[in-house]
Amino acid sequence: MEDEWSFVRKLAVRLRQESAVLILATLIAALALIEGINTGAVFWIWAIVVIVTLLRPPLVERVVVPSRAEPAPVDPQALLGTAFAGLAALDMPVLIIDREASVLVQNAAVEKAFGAFPIGAHISSKLRSPGLLDMVRETFATNLPNQIEHSERLPSERVYIVRIAPIDLPQIEKEEDALFLLSFRDISELRHIDRMRSDFVANASHELRTPLASLRGFIETIQGPAKSDAKAQQRFLGIMLDQTTRMSRLVDDLLSLSRLELKSHIAPDQKVDLVPLLGHVRDSLLPLAGDLDVAIDLHLPAGKVEVLGDRDELVQVFENLIENACKYGQEGKAVEVSLLNEPGQAVEVVISDKGPGIPAEHVPRLTERFYRVNVEDSRSKKGTGLGLAIVKHILTRHRARLIVKSEVGKGTDFTVRF
């Protein structure tokens, strides 16, 4: 019986699918009968058309859309694992904790920053800051996001914005099963830049204040006690000229730094031949070297040595480094400038002096603005404290490095590696 009903259903479906053809065939047969054509012939033709139409394959197969199954219940822990797969790739430390502040999941950045938390351990096993723990407890009580600034001293000083927020999982209905995301955004570099900016303003103000105070004092002296003393006036005017020249150098260096910072992200794309460039720098510094009784020895390879760069900026770099070597390595009586261009190796320019050298604790800070190993010695040599900072910025724009090697009593090597 089932087979019969199945046949009937299939026949009904085919009749619906071919209804247009069957109706057209019937109309044609009716017209033929009206016109007086043989009834038997018309019937058999009509029957053949109907049979062929029903037996041929359908032009369009019927697409049966299966009924939508009910979604399977989602395991909250499985959902948590899937969500955390993306967080694992972040370089920001991230923890997922429960309402007991026990660690459920941690990413690789957590292990790098604080060391691995034992799974299931309380966060206080690694994070003992009272302020941070109070913030976590407050979020547990209010179920609202919260954040705090947190500092870590070991293994190195780092500053984080620590944020905690509840994770909204509809599958978790019980309040005691709630989960929370604890993230650590590292702002150490921002704090460092803020300190550098503050130090820069303070140092720049101090550097300008000293010559301005000298100028004011000498002007008052010329207007007062030395009003009629031509010899004193001449001496004071000479000192005032030195102070204004110093301020002019300082302002020029500050403007150079500002210009370099604005275009630090744009790498130069012109070819510069370092062989004639270093020769030009040496020639321009010969008068200074002669006054200091220092010889500048240049060691250059044959042929061209080209790098991508800005010629004027590279002249500024090598003038600064060679001038410093002459001034601060004066005791050695010689400065050697070597251009190295070995096959398969980076192009290097090495400036060496035989002076007193630089203590190791000062070397990492030489390129900081206004940093001086010896303040009085630097000022007596008319330094602004910005020269090596400018060198560093120019080389950063040129995608080059400044490498400093120094040994007390034996001299210093400054290497520019392209």
Side-chain angles (χ1 to χ4, degrees), residues 384-403:
T384 63
L386 293 172
L388 290 180
I390 291 173
V391 167
K392 178 186 175 182
H393 275 75
I394 292 175
L395 294 182
T396 298
R397 187 168 107 81
H398 283 68
R399 310 302 187 255
R401 294 175 57 201
L402 179 65
I403 303 166

Side-chain angles (χ1 to χ4, degrees), residues 131-358:
L132 189 152
L133 297 176
D134 287 344
M135 176 195 71
V136 170
R137 282 191 288 267
E138 182 180 340
T139 295
F140 288 167
T142 63
N143 211 41
L144 295 174
N146 209 342
Q147 69 179 35
I148 192 175
E149 186 173 305
H150 168 68
S151 299
E152 286 284 328
R153 302 294 179 186
L154 296 173
S156 61
E157 185 174 353
R158 310 300 294 174
V159 182
Y160 298 96
I161 296 295
V162 184
R163 185 177 188 273
I164 184 171
I167 300 175
D168 185 15
L169 289 175
Q171 292 82 2
I172 298 179
E173 298 177 354
K174 296 180 181 179
E175 188 176 334
E176 59 269 20
D177 294 334
L179 301 175
F180 300 84
L181 185 76
L182 193 63
S183 61
F184 300 78
R185 181 161 57 92
D186 193 339
I187 60 169
S188 306
E189 292 303 318
L190 294 176
R191 288 288 180 266
H192 179 63
I193 291 170
D194 286 342
R195 284 198 299 269
M196 285 182 62
R197 186 182 294 113
S198 299
D199 291 344
F200 173 71
V201 172
N203 288 324
S205 302
H206 176 73
E207 293 292 330
L208 288 171
R209 187 184 296 115
T210 302
L212 283 172
S214 298
L215 285 173
R216 181 174 180 175
F218 286 124
I219 290 171
E220 290 175 349
T221 302
I222 290 173
Q223 289 178 333
K227 189 174 183 178
S228 304
D229 189 341
K231 183 182 278 189
Q233 286 183 7
Q234 191 66 26
R235 183 166 62 87
F236 293 157
L237 287 172
I239 297 172
M240 291 166 67
L241 178 61
D242 286 342
Q243 294 297 328
T244 53
T245 302
R246 178 184 165 194
M247 283 194 296
S248 178
R249 285 198 306 270
L250 180 60
V251 170
D252 288 343
D253 285 350
L254 289 171
L255 291 174
S256 293
L257 273 175
S258 298
R259 285 193 295 268
L260 289 169
E261 287 174 344
L262 287 174
K263 58 181 181 179
S264 60
H265 61 289
I266 305 172
D269 56 1
Q270 297 180 350
K271 288 186 177 181
V272 179
D273 187 357
L274 294 179
V275 174
L277 185 145
L278 290 172
H280 165 74
V281 172
R282 191 269 308 270
D283 293 342
S284 67
L285 291 175
L286 283 177
L288 171 68
D291 292 341
L292 297 172
D293 194 23
V294 174
I296 302 176
D297 299 325
L298 209 54
H299 305 282
L300 302 175
K304 291 184 176 181
V305 179
E306 292 183 330
V307 296
L308 292 178
D310 181 298
R311 187 180 187 280
D312 291 339
E313 290 184 2
L314 291 178
V315 166
Q316 190 175 4
V317 165
F318 294 118
E319 279 185 346
N320 194 303
L321 293 176
I322 297 173
E323 182 178 344
N324 281 355
C326 292
K327 289 179 178 179
Y328 299 103
Q330 183 179 359
E331 298 175 9
K333 301 295 183 182
V335 172
E336 294 188 358
V337 181
S338 305
L339 175 56
L340 308 178
N341 185 28
E342 300 295 331
Q345 302 291 325
V347 174
E348 293 184 346
V349 179
V350 183
I351 296 101
S352 304
D353 66 62
K354 305 299 179 184
I358 303 169

